[in-house]
Structure formats: structure tokens, C-alpha cells
Amino acid sequence: MSFTDSLRGYAYAVHKRDGFKCRYCGLDGSDQYENWIRLSLDHLLPKGHPNRDNPDFTVTSCMFCTTADNWFFQNAEKRGLTFEGMTPEQLVEQRKPFVLKVREAYFEFWRENVATSSVP
Ligand SMILES: [Zn+2]
């Protein structure tokens, strides 16, 4: 059994290219094992797009960021977003504010309802 095939197989090359860091929040998988096992892949293009599974249009993302703005593609038209003719870098920048907005909302919730000590 090959663990590299079954676990991080095709994601490994993408993770390595991205320095094992989530492209949205910066979570560093090279720093700690607990971070590394949280790394996933994020598709920058919607389902059905010919380049969707092209590794160039797939980036390292932690599990939270990957699903944070889960309706991103469904909401794209409403938000006036397009995907054609954009570089992977531009697609990350386009998606980032939506992902970080959800992260911030979760942080506020955590601070108010979960954190045991007072957090500034
Ligand atoms: Zn992240």
C-alpha cells in the first residue's frame, strides 16, 4: 500500500507548489503536522469548465477555506463574477474576500460563544 497515493497523492504536487500553505488564510502545513492534515484542494473554476481539474487551476486550501463560501460558484453571476480569461492568481484574489469574510464571521462567533478566556 502506498500512502502517498492514497492520502496526499495528486494533492501533494499542488501543495508543494504552494509551499504547503493555504492560499486563503495562510495556514502552514510545513510548520505542524496538525496543519498539514487540514490541507485540501480548492478548484478555481466551476464544474463543467474544461480547465477545472487542471492542476494549474487548483490551489492549496485548508478544509475550512475550501468550504467556507460553499455557494461561491452558484452565487458568481449574482455577484457579477466571471472566470474566463483569468489567471489562477487573479482567480484566487477574486475568491479570497468571500472566504475571509466567512472566516471573520466564524471568528466573531468563536470569540463570543466558544472561547473560554477573554480574547481582545
Ligand atoms: Zn485556509
Side-chain angles (χ1 to χ4, degrees):
M1 176 179 182
S2 167
F3 285 104
T4 52
D5 288 351
S6 60
L7 295 178
R8 303 275 99 167
Y10 77 105
Y12 177 72
V14 172
H15 289 173
K16 193 173 181 183
R17 181 200 67 204
D18 293 339
F20 300 99
K21 281 187 184 142
C22 173
R23 293 286 298 271
Y24 302 108
C25 74
L27 184 83
D28 189 348
S30 67
D31 198 30
Q32 290 183 42
Y33 170 71
E34 291 296 332
N35 290 347
W36 177 72
I37 59 172
R38 286 178 173 84
L39 294 181
S40 184
L41 291 177
D42 191 50
H43 290 92
L44 298 174
L45 295 167
K47 282 189 177 118
H49 192 286
N51 266 327
R52 176 167 164 93
D53 293 321
N54 179 339
D56 290 345
F57 289 90
T58 303
V59 293
T60 304
S61 174
C62 72
M63 288 174 190
F64 183 87
C65 290
T66 300
T67 56
D69 188 33
N70 219 11
W71 292 83
F72 181 70
F73 292 119
Q74 290 89 334
N75 287 329
E77 199 177 331
K78 196 172 68 186
R79 291 166 170 174
L81 306 178
T82 56
F83 304 96
E84 287 309 315
M86 292 176 77
T87 65
E89 195 56 48
Q90 289 170 327
L91 291 165
V92 167
E93 289 310 308
Q94 175 172 257
R95 181 162 161 74
K96 203 171 188 174
F98 297 100
V99 172
L100 296 184
K101 194 175 158 196
V102 176
R103 281 191 74 90
E104 254 168 57
Y106 268 73
F107 177 73
E108 286 305 317
F109 181 89
W110 172 81
R111 195 168 64 174
E112 286 168 24
N113 304 289
V114 182
T116 50
S117 59
S118 58
V119 178

